[in-house]
PDB file of all heavy atoms in Angstrom:
ATOM      1  N   MET A 126     -21.952  61.807 194.476  1.00 46.00           N
ATOM      2  CA  MET A 126     -22.120  60.433 194.017  1.00 46.00           C
ATOM      3  C   MET A 126     -22.234  59.510 195.231  1.00 46.00           C
ATOM      4  O   MET A 126     -21.350  59.456 196.055  1.00 46.00           O
ATOM      5  CB  MET A 126     -20.922  60.007 193.173  1.00 46.00           C
ATOM      6  CG  MET A 126     -20.991  58.564 192.672  1.00 46.00           C
ATOM      7  SD  MET A 126     -19.568  58.171 191.626  1.00 46.00           S
ATOM      8  CE  MET A 126     -18.233  58.368 192.795  1.00 46.00           C
ATOM      9  N   ARG A 127     -23.309  58.806 195.340  1.00 50.00           N
ATOM     10  CA  ARG A 127     -23.483  57.857 196.431  1.00 50.00           C
ATOM     11  C   ARG A 127     -22.884  56.527 196.040  1.00 50.00           C
ATOM     12  O   ARG A 127     -22.683  56.227 194.872  1.00 50.00           O
ATOM     13  CB  ARG A 127     -24.993  57.682 196.727  1.00 50.00           C
ATOM     14  CG  ARG A 127     -25.739  57.106 195.519  1.00 50.00           C
ATOM     15  CD  ARG A 127     -27.206  56.883 195.824  1.00 50.00           C
ATOM     16  NE  ARG A 127     -27.895  56.406 194.657  1.00 50.00           N
ATOM     17  CZ  ARG A 127     -27.900  55.145 194.219  1.00 50.00           C
ATOM     18  NH1 ARG A 127     -27.212  54.221 194.877  1.00 50.00           N
ATOM     19  NH2 ARG A 127     -28.562  54.781 193.159  1.00 50.00           N
ATOM     20  N   PRO A 128     -22.595  55.657 197.055  1.00 51.00           N
ATOM     21  CA  PRO A 128     -22.149  54.310 196.727  1.00 51.00           C
ATOM     22  C   PRO A 128     -23.158  53.599 195.850  1.00 51.00           C
ATOM     23  O   PRO A 128     -24.358  53.624 196.118  1.00 51.00           O
ATOM     24  CB  PRO A 128     -22.025  53.646 198.106  1.00 51.00           C
ATOM     25  CG  PRO A 128     -21.757  54.770 199.028  1.00 51.00           C
ATOM     26  CD  PRO A 128     -22.563  55.910 198.498  1.00 51.00           C
ATOM     27  N   GLY A 129     -22.690  52.993 194.768  1.00 49.00           N
ATOM     28  CA  GLY A 129     -23.579  52.311 193.857  1.00 49.00           C
ATOM     29  C   GLY A 129     -24.083  53.196 192.745  1.00 49.00           C
ATOM     30  O   GLY A 129     -24.882  52.778 191.934  1.00 49.00           O
ATOM     31  N   GLY A 130     -23.590  54.466 192.693  1.00 52.00           N
ATOM     32  CA  GLY A 130     -24.038  55.375 191.648  1.00 52.00           C
ATOM     33  C   GLY A 130     -23.222  55.193 190.380  1.00 52.00           C
ATOM     34  O   GLY A 130     -22.852  54.112 189.977  1.00 52.00           O
ATOM     35  N   ASN A 131     -22.903  56.351 189.712  1.00 56.00           N
ATOM     36  CA  ASN A 131     -22.157  56.344 188.466  1.00 56.00           C
ATOM     37  C   ASN A 131     -20.848  55.571 188.636  1.00 56.00           C
ATOM     38  O   ASN A 131     -20.084  55.818 189.566  1.00 56.00           O
ATOM     39  CB  ASN A 131     -21.862  57.796 188.077  1.00 56.00           C
ATOM     40  CG  ASN A 131     -21.245  57.916 186.702  1.00 56.00           C
ATOM     41  OD1 ASN A 131     -20.504  57.030 186.285  1.00 56.00           O
ATOM     42  ND2 ASN A 131     -21.549  58.991 186.015  1.00 56.00           N
ATOM     43  N   ARG A 132     -20.563  54.645 187.710  1.00 67.00           N
ATOM     44  CA  ARG A 132     -19.363  53.808 187.837  1.00 67.00           C
ATOM     45  C   ARG A 132     -18.282  54.207 186.846  1.00 67.00           C
ATOM     46  O   ARG A 132     -17.385  53.433 186.575  1.00 67.00           O
ATOM     47  CB  ARG A 132     -19.733  52.346 187.662  1.00 67.00           C
ATOM     48  CG  ARG A 132     -20.542  51.781 188.818  1.00 67.00           C
ATOM     49  CD  ARG A 132     -20.484  50.269 188.826  1.00 67.00           C
ATOM     50  NE  ARG A 132     -21.121  49.704 187.650  1.00 67.00           N
ATOM     51  CZ  ARG A 132     -20.761  48.555 187.079  1.00 67.00           C
ATOM     52  NH1 ARG A 132     -19.761  47.866 187.588  1.00 67.00           N
ATOM     53  NH2 ARG A 132     -21.377  48.096 186.023  1.00 67.00           N
ATOM     54  N   GLY A 133     -18.326  55.457 186.322  1.00 82.00           N
ATOM     55  CA  GLY A 133     -17.257  55.911 185.449  1.00 82.00           C
ATOM     56  C   GLY A 133     -15.903  55.909 186.154  1.00 82.00           C
ATOM     57  O   GLY A 133     -14.877  55.633 185.549  1.00 82.00           O
ATOM     58  N   TRP A 134     -15.925  56.217 187.454  1.00 86.00           N
ATOM     59  CA  TRP A 134     -14.686  56.187 188.236  1.00 86.00           C
ATOM     60  C   TRP A 134     -14.067  54.792 188.235  1.00 86.00           C
ATOM     61  O   TRP A 134     -12.831  54.656 188.237  1.00 86.00           O
ATOM     62  CB  TRP A 134     -14.962  56.639 189.693  1.00 86.00           C
ATOM     63  CG  TRP A 134     -15.906  55.723 190.415  1.00 86.00           C
ATOM     64  CD1 TRP A 134     -17.266  55.830 190.482  1.00 86.00           C
ATOM     65  CD2 TRP A 134     -15.546  54.559 191.175  1.00 86.00           C
ATOM     66  NE1 TRP A 134     -17.795  54.804 191.237  1.00 86.00           N
ATOM     67  CE2 TRP A 134     -16.772  54.014 191.673  1.00 86.00           C
ATOM     68  CE3 TRP A 134     -14.358  53.933 191.479  1.00 86.00           C
ATOM     69  CZ2 TRP A 134     -16.793  52.860 192.460  1.00 86.00           C
ATOM     70  CZ3 TRP A 134     -14.376  52.786 192.264  1.00 86.00           C
ATOM     71  CH2 TRP A 134     -15.601  52.267 192.744  1.00 86.00           C
ATOM     72  N   LEU A 135     -14.922  53.752 188.247  1.00 88.00           N
ATOM     73  CA  LEU A 135     -14.410  52.388 188.293  1.00 88.00           C
ATOM     74  C   LEU A 135     -13.698  52.030 186.990  1.00 88.00           C
ATOM     75  O   LEU A 135     -12.643  51.392 187.002  1.00 88.00           O
ATOM     76  CB  LEU A 135     -15.543  51.424 188.576  1.00 88.00           C
ATOM     77  CG  LEU A 135     -15.164  49.944 188.695  1.00 88.00           C
ATOM     78  CD1 LEU A 135     -14.148  49.738 189.823  1.00 88.00           C
ATOM     79  CD2 LEU A 135     -16.393  49.073 188.941  1.00 88.00           C
ATOM     80  N   LEU A 136     -14.251  52.465 185.873  1.00 90.00           N
ATOM     81  CA  LEU A 136     -13.624  52.209 184.575  1.00 90.00           C
ATOM     82  C   LEU A 136     -12.260  52.892 184.520  1.00 90.00           C
ATOM     83  O   LEU A 136     -11.267  52.289 184.075  1.00 90.00           O
ATOM     84  CB  LEU A 136     -14.506  52.682 183.429  1.00 90.00           C
ATOM     85  CG  LEU A 136     -13.923  52.562 182.021  1.00 90.00           C
ATOM     86  CD1 LEU A 136     -13.602  51.109 181.696  1.00 90.00           C
ATOM     87  CD2 LEU A 136     -14.883  53.148 180.996  1.00 90.00           C
ATOM     88  N   ARG A 137     -12.182  54.148 184.960  1.00 91.00           N
ATOM     89  CA  ARG A 137     -10.897  54.853 184.954  1.00 91.00           C
ATOM     90  C   ARG A 137      -9.895  54.178 185.890  1.00 91.00           C
ATOM     91  O   ARG A 137      -8.707  54.107 185.605  1.00 91.00           O
ATOM     92  CB  ARG A 137     -11.102  56.322 185.339  1.00 91.00           C
ATOM     93  CG  ARG A 137     -11.911  57.096 184.314  1.00 91.00           C
ATOM     94  CD  ARG A 137     -11.769  58.590 184.489  1.00 91.00           C
ATOM     95  NE  ARG A 137     -12.257  59.051 185.790  1.00 91.00           N
ATOM     96  CZ  ARG A 137     -13.525  59.310 186.075  1.00 91.00           C
ATOM     97  NH1 ARG A 137     -14.449  59.157 185.130  1.00 91.00           N
ATOM     98  NH2 ARG A 137     -13.879  59.744 187.267  1.00 91.00           N
ATOM     99  N   LEU A 138     -10.395  53.699 187.018  1.00 92.00           N
ATOM    100  CA  LEU A 138      -9.506  53.002 187.956  1.00 92.00           C
ATOM    101  C   LEU A 138      -8.972  51.705 187.355  1.00 92.00           C
ATOM    102  O   LEU A 138      -7.794  51.372 187.521  1.00 92.00           O
ATOM    103  CB  LEU A 138     -10.265  52.716 189.259  1.00 92.00           C
ATOM    104  CG  LEU A 138      -9.451  52.107 190.413  1.00 92.00           C
ATOM    105  CD1 LEU A 138      -8.335  53.062 190.841  1.00 92.00           C
ATOM    106  CD2 LEU A 138     -10.349  51.777 191.589  1.00 92.00           C
TER     107      LEU A 138
END
Side-chain angles (χ1 to χ4, degrees):
M126 179 178 63
R127 62 178 177 81
N131 188 327
R132 290 199 295 149
W134 63 270
L135 182 59
L136 176 60
R137 294 197 298 277
L138 185 62

